[in-house]
Amino acid sequence: MSDRTYDPQEVEVRWQEYWEKNRTFVTDLDSAKRPFYNLMMFPYPSAEGLHVGNVFAFTGADIQGRYHRIKGFDVFEPIGFDAFGIHSENYALKMGIHPSRLVPSSVANFRRQMKRMGLMTDWTREVQTTDPAYYRWTQWIFTKLFEHGLAYRAKAPVNWCPACQTVLANEQVIAGNCERHPDTAVERREMEQWFFRITKYASKLLENLSWIDWSLTTKQAQAHWIGRSEGAEIDFALEGADGAVRVFTTRPDTLYGATYMVLAPEHPLVDRLVSRELRAEVDAYRTAAKAMREVERLDAGKQKTGVFIGAHAINPATGRPIPIWIADYVLLGYGTGAIMAVPAHDQRDYEFAQAFGLPIVPVIFPIGESLPEGAAFEGEGLLGNSGPFDGAPSQEARAKIVAYLATKGCAEAKVNYRLRDWCISRQRYWGPPIPVIYCDRCGVLAVPERDLPVLLPETDDFRPDASGVAPLARVSEFYHVACPKCGAPARRETDVSDNFLDSAWYFLRYTSTDRADVAWDRARTDRWLPVSLYIGGNEHAVLHLMYTRFLCMAFHEMGLTGFEEPFRRFRAHGLLIKEGAKMSKSRGNVVNPDAYVAEHGADTFRMYLMFLGPYEEGGDFRDQGIIGIRRFLDRAWRWVVEERPALPKGDLPRSARIRLHQGIAKVSADTESLQYNTAIAALMELLNVLREQSVADSESGEAFVRLLAPYAPHLAEELWAALGRSPSVFDAGWPDFDPALTLTDSVEIAVQVNGKLRETVRVERGSSQETVQAVAVARERVAAHMADKTLRKVFFVPDRLINLVVG
RNA sequence: GCCGGAGUGGUGAAACUGGCAGACACGCGGGACUCAAAAUCCCGUGGGGGCAACCUCGUGUGGGUUCAAAUCCCACCUCCGGCACCA
């Protein structure tokens, strides 16, 4: 017996060197016959290094890559780093070191840790979003969108975080507070911003969800975010003035019950409509609403407030004038920024009408019950108080009323979306400058492709200030530029683009990192995309994944790619938490993998994370059971290296062979469907069975090692070599199983009497009810429970169960 | 409030399409080996009762459907994630 034992450090480093030297996981993108693009969400390389949450995410994705590789696919598994953005910038400000000097060491640390984890990454295709060779193309994408009318500049009320000193996307505002500063209320500011017209694709973004193979939860989150609602836009003519107020409603059937209107305080018509006597009051309300903290304004439970503006509009159905109010519960950014208020059938309008003594006219009457007291009736029923439409069912009346108004030119059916355009301007330093030049003569120009990249100037003066102007405005060599068209003095845009733009196209760049002349090589993207499988966290369900889909639709429309949807399959992994809480630096509960890898090795740590619970559900990280995985790998090593070679050669007994084939079937199916915890349990069971055998057969060793390979890649290579096979096990093919050998010859059948388990009997597979019943009733324990009772009925599930009902 | 997901031994968890609840591990108890320990191996391990064979209760709570429910239905509780005056 050898005195050597399994030494993961030695084994793992040796195989990592072997893979690197032999370019085992470097993919020839141009000759691949069976491309499998295995994508994982690239990390933000924080200075603290990789944490277990990253390792959990990467490992689950890497298992898919390795599994497909053994199955014979040409797997492309690239990685990159996304070090632009506010997170890096704030950290740099805190440390007083320029981000361009901090990022390389963070990246180097991440790279070291990731290599040590043994991912099958193709490191020849690494991208960094902060590299001018990359962001040149991020800027190019902006110019393409600009050319196609998908990028525009608008003054808009934006979310301003006083702590970040920058604009936030809606998605970055959590309950009215900043995503990065949970104690800081977001303010609203009017600013010139660059937007991408994602709303153009709202319907396509929604419709395609019906066929893309994504985790259901992710698709639901996207559908909700897009927020489609069907209704109508209706014009309410102004009384004693030209023009009309347009509203959006999902309930045109309630039009006869519209007894007043409400505009958002910021609505542009307010200024024109407000009466002289009420102007002071209205202005005071508008100022207050504007200054109000977003959290307060959006608090659904708060008392309704508002003011009458001294003007009236005509209800187009009743022909009667109704008062126009402003109130902060109506939002400028949704629908038309104005509503028709139907207090009888909308709870918010009801509360408002109650507070201000406005008339409440019911027009929908529930069938077979009466209207609720003290609340709006929001359900369906028959129309009343509705002139010619009285008696019509409310659902049918919607279209009828719209059609009737349409003939008078004051309504049209309309689909509204909650989705808003993507604001990409950031008044910060650490990002790709938006490639735009403002020339007094030529107007707003995109920087021509030949002048890209617009390099981010090196400056130590990059702290944002309350001016709201980006730090780049203070760098005069950058700010002043000659117009690319006429040569006259012109100015550069000084905002940088949103970090989400960097990460919205990185998977296209991976294929073409060797090409300095194009963003991506069309032949390669045609071969490799859409991505075969994308694995990542569901926290990106509506941000990253939505923006990415939008860009790909735009690229496809421009003829830049051959596909519309970037990810064939997307699977969301669960969140790894610690003691019931999300891991974060502020909580001080971030777990660093290095210590575990140093103690037990990467294989053990990988498998342990995967064994913790269902991959798609995540779980609570504890290191309690890690020793169980280590023991399992130790046993696997001993079995292959020491125990098995000492046994005489021979064939497995049939029962063991059946267990082997059942194991192959189970591990294959569970790996395929990301049920890694049960796949590992099956591997353990299989090893337990195989170690009980007293012969060394020719089949089980190689099968087991290959099943183990996606999970413990280093050890699998080592054991493959110990079996006398030449590397790499990842070129060896996935073991097949014989379906006939996955069924045992005999089965154990549960015998119940009146639904309670009393006995089990072992019979030949496929035994008839008569046979099983005969065996069962002959058993003493069964007979005892049936004594002096009559057999009423028998339920028989072949090969499983028999239930004898007596009474 | 709304939309998802979840609630099972001391712990992480497993359970096909409604068909033997607790696979696989951790931990714990006992034993073997050892001068001793570590490592390893073997046995046991949901609760209660019983010397035992066995009996009985048991998947968040309360009802229901069914020969049979962790699984389906109704009502509720708790936790996690997301959204939130969306007209």
Side-chain angles (χ1 to χ4, degrees):
Chain A
M1 190 164 139
S2 156
D3 60 350
R4 264 194 60 209
T5 51
Y6 167 47
D7 174 1
Q9 303 302 330
E10 188 275 326
V11 167
E12 290 176 1
V13 170
R14 181 154 42 77
W15 283 103
Q16 283 164 13
E17 281 167 5
Y18 175 90
W19 293 331
E20 189 152 349
K21 193 170 142 248
N22 290 279
R23 300 170 66 85
T24 312
F25 302 121
V26 174
T27 313
D28 181 343
L29 297 180
D30 298 315
S31 70
K33 297 275 187 303
R34 297 178 68 195
F36 187 92
Y37 191 162
N38 190 50
L39 184 67
M40 57 191 86
M41 288 184 179
F42 69 164
Y44 155 70
S46 70
E48 303 87 51
L50 205 64
H51 69 80
V52 285
N54 300 121
V55 179
F56 179 80
F58 297 151
T59 301
D62 188 61
I63 287 168
Q64 289 299 315
R66 292 181 179 275
Y67 169 66
H68 283 90
R69 168 64 184 263
I70 306 187
K71 284 180 72 170
F73 287 91
D74 295 295
V75 174
F76 179 39
E77 187 174 300
I79 200 72
F81 299 97
D82 185 20
F84 261 145
I86 199 160
H87 204 108
S88 298
E89 185 176 311
N90 284 346
Y91 183 73
L93 287 168
K94 193 176 125 199
M95 303 301 287
I97 304 175
H98 195 275
S100 67
R101 281 186 288 282
L102 280 174
V103 167
S105 60
S106 298
V107 166
N109 188 38
F110 258 64
R111 205 186 281 126
R112 171 191 67 78
Q113 287 183 297
M114 291 176 78
K115 287 190 173 178
R116 187 60 191 83
M117 288 313 304
L119 305 172
M120 62 172 284
T121 309
D122 180 348
W123 287 98
T124 66
R125 299 272 170 194
E126 179 191 324
V127 304
Q128 291 190 38
T129 57
T130 48
D131 183 348
Y134 180 89
Y135 74 68
R136 164 199 181 139
W137 298 113
T138 306
Q139 293 172 331
W140 175 80
I141 287 167
F142 176 94
T143 65
K144 287 287 149 196
L145 293 176
F146 181 73
E147 269 171 40
H148 287 81
L150 292 169
Y152 66 95
R153 212 158 65 110
K155 203 162 191 140
V158 292
N159 307 303
W160 174 266
C161 172
C164 299
Q165 305 269 18
T166 193
V167 165
L168 304 178
N170 282 328
E171 299 87 307
Q172 291 162 307
V173 180
I174 312 293
N177 288 3
C178 174
E179 166 183 61
R180 298 186 193 283
H181 300 95
D183 303 322
T184 305
V186 171
E187 296 168 5
R188 293 170 81 80
R189 278 200 182 186
E190 287 266 309
M191 291 176 72
E192 281 285 335
Q193 305 286 338
W194 281 98
F195 288 88
F196 283 165
R197 216 179 288 280
I198 188 171
T199 52
K200 182 185 169 192
Y201 299 92
S203 62
K204 196 182 275 285
L205 286 165
L206 184 67
E207 282 158 22
N208 284 4
L209 292 176
S210 65
W211 60 265
I212 55 180
D213 177 13
W214 284 27
S215 293
L216 199 61
T217 50
T218 312
K219 294 209 279 189
Q220 281 167 339
Q222 292 219 342
H224 184 245
W225 191 258
I226 295 166
R228 180 183 199 274
S229 55
E230 265 179 52
E233 285 191 355
I234 302 174
D235 286 326
F236 283 58
L238 295 166
E239 189 190 45
D242 288 339
V245 181
R246 174 159 280 225
V247 303
F248 173 74
T249 178
T250 54
R251 293 294 300 268
D253 51 317
T254 64
L255 179 60
Y256 283 82
T259 54
Y260 63 101
M261 304 189 78
V262 185
L263 308 190
E266 311 91 334
H267 197 287
L269 271 178
V270 175
D271 252 339
R272 222 186 87 201
L273 297 178
V274 63
S275 70
R276 208 177 307 122
E277 312 81 67
L278 289 168
R279 179 167 285 277
E281 201 187 331
V282 166
D283 282 349
Y285 185 82
R286 296 177 86 187
T287 311
K290 211 171 165 182
M292 198 183 294
R293 299 175 32 163
E294 185 96 343
V295 237
E296 292 161 5
R297 186 168 160 174
L298 292 180
D299 179 5
K302 89 175 165 77
Q303 181 73 32
K304 294 279 178 292
T305 62
V307 290
F308 176 50
I309 67 167
H312 289 82
I314 308 295
N315 181 325
T318 63
R320 281 199 281 274
I322 57 175
I324 302 175
W325 288 62
I326 58 171
D328 60 10
Y329 80 93
V330 174
L331 309 171
L332 188 65
Y334 185 79
T336 62
I339 62 159
M340 62 176 212
V342 186
H345 304 293
D346 181 286
Q347 188 59 27
R348 294 158 301 170
D349 297 345
Y350 180 86
E351 286 163 22
F352 190 84
Q354 287 280 308
F356 296 101
L358 292 156
I360 298 171
V361 178
V363 292
I364 309 288
F365 297 87
I367 300 166
E369 47 186 310
S370 51
L371 287 163
E373 300 257 339
F377 171 65
E378 297 186 328
E380 306 291 346
L382 300 180
L383 269 65
N385 299 327
S386 296
F389 300 99
D390 277 357
S394 51
Q395 272 135 325
E396 293 168 21
R398 303 220 225 295
K400 285 184 188 162
I401 290 182
V402 173
Y404 162 71
L405 294 177
T407 62
K408 302 201 292 180
C410 64
E412 57 178 324
K414 173 95 182 178
V415 174
N416 195 53
Y417 294 94
R418 202 182 77 106
L419 185 70
R420 309 211 197 148
D421 279 337
W422 173 16
C423 175
I424 59 138
S425 289
R426 295 291 180 272
Q427 289 71 41
R428 300 289 297 213
Y429 169 72
W430 190 234
I434 293 176
V436 163
I437 292 171
Y438 302 97
C439 171
D440 290 334
R441 245 186 284 172
C442 308
V444 181
L445 303 170
V447 174
E449 187 172 340
R450 62 170 190 274
D451 293 337
L452 295 177
V454 177
L455 285 173
L456 179 66
E458 283 271 339
T459 173
D460 288 322
D461 174 27
F462 59 88
R463 187 174 290 274
D465 59 36
S467 69
V469 177
L472 289 182
R474 301 195 293 263
V475 183
S476 82
E477 322 80 272
F478 175 84
Y479 183 60
H480 298 289
V481 65
C483 171
K485 213 163 170 182
C486 71
R491 304 167 310 280
R492 280 195 194 280
E493 168 65 60
T494 57
D495 287 352
V496 299
S497 57
D498 182 7
N499 193 209
F500 276 114
L501 181 57
D502 304 319
S503 57
W505 73 282
Y506 72 110
F507 55 93
L508 283 157
R509 187 61 191 162
Y510 281 145
T511 62
S512 310
T513 49
D514 51 339
R515 294 287 299 272
D517 56 330
V518 288
W520 55 82
D521 176 312
R522 181 64 196 265
R524 287 213 190 122
T525 54
D526 281 351
R527 183 189 287 262
W528 286 92
L529 286 131
V531 164
S532 314
L533 175 62
Y534 194 19
I535 290 180
N538 226 3
E539 67 272 20
H540 291 114
V542 291
L543 313 146
H544 165 64
L545 289 171
M546 186 80 80
Y547 295 150
T548 302
R549 293 180 62 216
F550 153 64
L551 279 191
C552 286
M553 284 177 187
F555 294 156
H556 183 240
E557 215 165 78
M558 295 176 199
L560 295 172
T561 60
F563 57 91
E564 197 169 72
E565 286 291 342
F567 313 122
R568 241 183 262 284
R569 275 176 90 203
F570 172 76
R571 290 293 178 272
H573 61 72
L575 193 66
L576 202 58
I577 57 172
K578 172 80 178 163
E579 275 129 31
K582 212 166 172 167
M583 279 186 224
S584 72
K585 210 172 61 152
S586 55
R587 282 198 188 84
N589 61 355
V590 174
V591 180
N592 187 307
D594 288 354
Y596 295 104
V597 172
E599 191 178 350
H600 295 295
D603 283 338
T604 293
F605 193 57
R606 280 168 67 104
M607 270 187 104
Y608 177 63
L609 289 176
M610 296 302 103
F611 191 57
L612 221 49
Y615 186 63
E616 290 173 276
E617 281 170 34
D620 207 339
F621 179 82
R622 265 158 235 202
D623 52 17
Q624 237 190 15
I626 194 166
I627 191 66
I629 297 288
R630 175 59 193 271
R631 286 178 192 150
F632 165 70
L633 294 182
D634 283 340
R635 283 197 297 273
W637 189 90
R638 276 204 306 276
W639 178 61
V640 173
V641 176
E642 294 174 351
E643 297 167 359
R644 214 164 162 280
L647 295 174
K649 297 214 184 321
D651 290 327
L652 284 181
R654 185 175 158 83
S655 63
R657 197 140 182 261
I658 286 171
R659 297 288 297 272
L660 172 64
H661 282 250
Q662 286 175 332
I664 298 171
K666 174 79 174 154
V667 174
S668 304
D670 286 356
T671 303
E672 186 84 44
S673 57
L674 283 71
Q675 288 164 298
Y676 302 139
N677 56 334
T678 49
I680 292 169
L683 280 168
M684 290 172 166
E685 264 180 285
L686 180 57
L687 183 61
N688 290 343
V689 169
L690 295 177
R691 286 184 73 220
E692 286 165 12
Q693 305 310 313
S694 50
V695 291
D697 67 298
S698 57
E699 185 183 8
S700 64
E702 296 189 355
F704 175 79
V705 170
R706 287 179 290 163
L707 295 178
L708 181 67
Y711 296 90
H714 312 85
L715 180 61
E717 291 278 32
E718 183 75 3
L719 298 182
W720 192 246
L723 289 170
R725 304 292 308 259
S726 56
S728 158
V729 68
F730 294 99
D731 294 322
W734 189 252
D736 290 321
F737 60 88
D738 177 354
L741 276 173
T742 59
L743 299 175
T744 49
D745 303 323
S746 68
V747 289
E748 199 177 63
I749 292 196
V751 181
Q752 295 182 338
V753 179
N754 285 347
K756 290 199 178 205
L757 181 74
R758 296 301 177 188
E759 181 67 289
T760 61
V761 294
R762 185 160 278 284
V763 297
E764 210 174 292
R765 176 177 293 281
S767 293
S768 68
Q769 178 178 331
E770 291 69 34
T771 313
V772 175
Q773 191 173 332
V775 177
V777 297
R779 293 294 179 88
E780 201 178 318
R781 278 157 64 180
V782 177
H785 287 278
M786 293 175 70
D788 44 274
K789 293 196 179 113
T790 320
L791 186 62
R792 305 259 180 227
K793 200 158 185 182
V794 180
F795 291 87
F796 177 67
V797 183
D799 297 335
R800 245 175 217 291
L801 168 143
I802 188 164
N803 187 7
L804 306 162
V805 181
V806 297

